Amino acid sequence: ALAFMATGASVVAGGSIGGKVLRATDLAPIADLRVYASARGFRTSTQTNSDGGYRFRALPPGTYKIQVLPLDENFIPVYFGDVRDAEKSAGISVARLQSVTNIDFQLRSGGIITGRVYANKNRDPIAGSRIVAENRTRPEPPYFTYSDSQGFYSLRGLNEGVYTVGTPPSPEGASLRSRRYLKQFHEGRFDPELADVLEVEAGSVLTGINFALFEGASVSGSVRSRYHNRPLQGVTLLFHNVDKANVNPFQATTGADGEFLVSDLPP
């Protein structure tokens, strides 16, 4: 395979990277899995064939990170070297005309967490809500997914460990409907320190991890001096939840007119 440079006359021959993707338990080949190769400023993908083999062709010279990213299958997504963090993965160097082989993977089955996201007020499903699972047992990137049109979600390919699961604020670009709900952690908590933890093992399936989301309340008012009735600027107010549903108090600071507003208060 050849890649033609813009200079016209010069032709650069690409390199290649290949290997196999097998199931760790019995070394059976895994077909139809998506494999990605990424280098600085370049990213491409291919798919495993019936014998689990894959090959990237016509790669520009460079150092590549190779990742297997199962979508619907319950395998743990990994980079070459059996790590989930790209920075910890070994880089594969490819030169002109070089063929790199034996970049193999043995995938392990992961755990699954499923549930539903809906509005606490009327139990209407909330679509597009981001659900994040963080492994408290080992340092690794968090897992995340989004709820579907009926509010259902499924987190697959989880490493073994103890997890907290929550619905943090949606990223920029999410719908206004999904962004107005308060972040919440399982089960019905608003602070990560109070979250219930979930123990995940290889092949385990935890169902019914639901989130009934609340819209935030707000409190406003003013602070004035007792004797002169002048507005006081820069006064900090702390809002403590007496039901101990929150560990960290919410804060508001008065403006030049002595007014304050604190939003996104849990019920």
Side-chain angles (χ1 to χ4, degrees), residues 9-34:
S10 60
V11 176
V12 177
S16 68
I17 296 175
K20 283 194 172 185
V21 181
L22 308 175
R23 193 165 56 199
T25 52
D26 55 6
L27 300 184
I30 308 174
D32 302 322
L33 279 185
R34 184 60 59 178

Side-chain angles (χ1 to χ4, degrees), residues 45-205:
S45 68
T46 188
Q47 203 159 318
T48 58
N49 55 31
S50 59
D51 66 355
Y54 73 91
R55 179 162 295 279
F56 294 100
R57 305 178 189 278
L59 293 175
T63 300
Y64 289 83
K65 302 283 188 175
I66 310 298
Q67 181 190 28
V68 178
L69 188 61
L71 297 178
D72 297 324
E73 303 87 348
N74 185 27
F75 291 111
I76 298 171
V78 290
Y79 286 87
F80 181 63
D82 196 29
V83 294
R84 287 197 61 237
D85 194 339
E87 295 183 358
K88 297 179 181 178
S89 171
I92 310 300
S93 297
V94 178
R96 294 176 63 251
L97 297 174
Q98 183 181 9
S99 177
V100 179
T101 59
N102 299 322
I103 305 303
D104 301 332
F105 294 82
Q106 294 185 15
L107 299 189
R108 296 175 290 115
S109 294
I112 299 175
I113 296 175
T114 69
R116 196 174 190 219
V117 184
Y118 53 86
N120 180 77
K121 183 192 303 185
N122 52 20
R123 300 186 70 86
D124 281 349
I126 301 176
S129 181
R130 192 167 184 250
I131 300 93
V132 178
E134 294 196 47
N135 194 338
R136 300 300 184 183
T137 307
R138 66 173 75 188
E140 63 174 348
Y143 299 79
F144 69 91
T145 188
Y146 294 89
S147 57
D148 64 17
S149 61
Q150 297 301 311
F152 292 103
Y153 76 90
S154 179
L155 288 158
R156 296 175 175 270
L158 303 177
N159 257 323
E160 293 184 354
V162 173
Y163 286 81
T164 56
V165 183
T167 60
S170 298
E172 290 300 322
S175 67
L176 291 177
R177 177 174 176 78
S178 65
R179 291 175 63 186
R180 72 170 181 245
Y181 292 100
L182 298 178
K183 66 179 179 181
Q184 190 180 121
F185 298 89
H186 179 72
E187 178 176 12
R189 304 292 187 174
F190 300 99
D191 282 318
E193 296 93 332
L194 298 176
D196 287 345
V197 295
L198 300 172
E199 188 168 349
V200 173
E201 299 176 352
S204 65
V205 180

